Amino acid sequence: MFGVGNSNNDLGAYLRTRRESVGPAEVGLPVGARRRTPGLRRAELATLAGISVEYLTRLEQGRDRRPSPEVLSALADALLMGVDERMHLMRLSKAADGTNTSLCCAGRSPARTVRPTVRALLESLEPAPAVLLNQLNDVLAYTRGYERITRPLGMLDGDEPNLLAYVFTDDRARIAYPDWDRVADERVAEMHFDLTLSDPEMTRMSDHLTLLAGAPFKERIAAPMGPLHTTGVERIVHPEVGELRLAYETLQLPGAQEMRLMVYLPADDATAVALDRLAGRQPGALRAVIG
């Protein structure tokens, strides 16, 4: 059965992991030659966040699961968290105190059909690569720009292509994604975020991938939830034009069944030229957004 980690203390585990990853110099504290603790000591983080060491200990050990928004904000500030990490911290807090606000209700089947207005939206995004996904990472619809990149890589093979299954079960994925480990982490984070623990579709998908992929999937799905990245740069190696650096934005589409629209744009001039070559068009249709 799928679970978020091997314990019920994902919030505490995440706080402890973040505390151990922030060096004292990063927050203006002296390092000290005899320092043994990785990252910040509990007393140091407690002081920075304005809470007691005892309270921080209870949070990390899972003995207190209801920190106030003010405490969470203070901890996030002290741990130098970015926006995605802060959102992740809030989701873990809601899950810990039983008020999980996951986007998919328990037992609800993931979306399989696409509204006409959403299809029209996709068409308007041409020639940009864009793909519409449901909570399981099933590919529901895509632009021709997306197809030109992904079909030669095998991502759209089969009657019901699924990006999560592709990453973990298709040998071509490790060639297509130079940063395979990071992509694998993010695909699992998307699954964690979009589905409740009791959802039968999640259970089936998890069991299926555990059987086919083994340790690479099993270890990630058993670990505490990682932060969900809704924007960033993804590297893909295309057999015709070489490496592409694609900046992506993720848009959540509201409705009875949640869907996620991912839109890609070239992150540098070389990728912009490569996308034009794939489409057989004059340069300049898509311009680099990062440089």
Side-chain angles (χ1 to χ4, degrees):
M1 182 72 174
F2 174 88
V4 181
N6 293 322
S7 70
N8 294 318
N9 186 30
D10 286 345
L11 174 62
Y14 186 62
L15 286 172
R16 184 173 61 255
T17 299
R18 286 292 304 165
R19 173 172 62 82
E20 293 175 350
S21 69
V22 176
E26 296 179 72
V27 293
L29 296 175
V31 177
R34 301 177 63 183
R35 190 178 189 89
R36 296 180 180 178
T37 304
L40 298 176
R41 299 185 178 98
R42 277 181 179 157
E44 292 169 335
L45 175 56
T47 299
L48 290 170
I51 61 177
S52 69
V53 177
E54 291 76 12
Y55 183 46
L56 177 58
T57 302
R58 292 201 304 272
L59 288 175
E60 289 191 355
Q61 293 178 349
R63 292 185 287 117
D64 191 309
R65 297 170 182 269
R66 295 176 179 271
S68 69
E70 292 77 15
V71 168
L72 288 177
S73 178
L75 286 168
D77 289 342
L79 292 169
L80 308 177
M81 289 187 180
V83 174
D84 287 338
E85 294 163 325
R86 288 170 181 267
M87 291 178 61
H88 183 58
L89 183 66
M90 186 63 70
R91 287 196 297 271
L92 290 179
S93 176
K94 291 181 181 297
D97 72 5
T99 58
N100 193 339
T101 56
S102 177
L103 295 179
C104 179
C105 296
R108 180 185 298 171
S109 297
R112 303 291 184 191
T113 59
V114 183
R115 301 191 297 270
T117 50
V118 176
R119 288 193 179 276
L121 174 61
L122 268 176
E123 291 175 3
S124 72
L125 292 173
E126 296 283 8
V131 60
L132 185 69
L133 306 167
N134 66 9
Q135 302 98 317
L136 289 175
N137 271 288
D138 291 326
V139 176
L140 304 180
Y142 45 83
T143 63
R144 289 186 296 275
Y146 183 82
E147 183 176 15
R148 281 190 287 268
I149 295 173
T150 59
R151 188 169 293 283
L153 303 174
M155 291 187 200
L156 299 180
D157 287 0
D159 295 331
E160 297 182 350
N162 180 282
L163 297 190
L164 184 67
Y166 173 79
V167 167
F168 284 98
T169 66
D170 196 314
D171 292 338
R172 292 171 291 185
R174 291 182 181 266
I175 300 173
Y177 291 116
D179 306 312
W180 185 89
D181 284 306
R182 181 177 63 80
V183 172
D185 290 343
E186 292 182 359
R187 293 291 180 267
V188 171
E190 291 160 359
M191 185 178 181
H192 270 305
F193 175 65
D194 280 345
L195 293 170
T196 58
L197 306 185
S198 60
D199 191 282
E201 293 274 3
M202 174 190 274
T203 302
R204 283 192 287 272
M205 172 66 81
S206 178
D207 291 345
H208 175 72
L209 291 180
T210 298
L211 176 63
L212 293 181
F217 178 78
K218 184 177 180 180
E219 291 171 359
R220 286 176 170 85
I221 210 68
M225 287 191 294
L228 180 67
H229 298 287
T230 58
T231 185
V233 175
E234 196 168 273
R235 292 197 301 153
I236 293 178
V237 176
H238 193 277
E240 296 176 32
V241 295
E243 182 174 309
L244 303 170
R245 295 183 67 250
L246 298 165
Y248 65 87
E249 290 286 343
T250 308
L251 309 175
Q252 296 288 343
L253 301 184
Q257 294 178 308
E258 299 293 339
M259 293 178 286
R260 183 171 70 255
L261 178 64
M262 295 189 70
V263 184
Y264 297 85
L265 290 170
D268 54 35
D269 291 334
T271 299
V273 171
L275 293 182
D276 286 334
R277 283 179 54 198
L278 282 177
R281 59 178 175 247
Q282 292 296 317
L286 289 175
R287 298 188 178 183
V289 296
I290 294 178

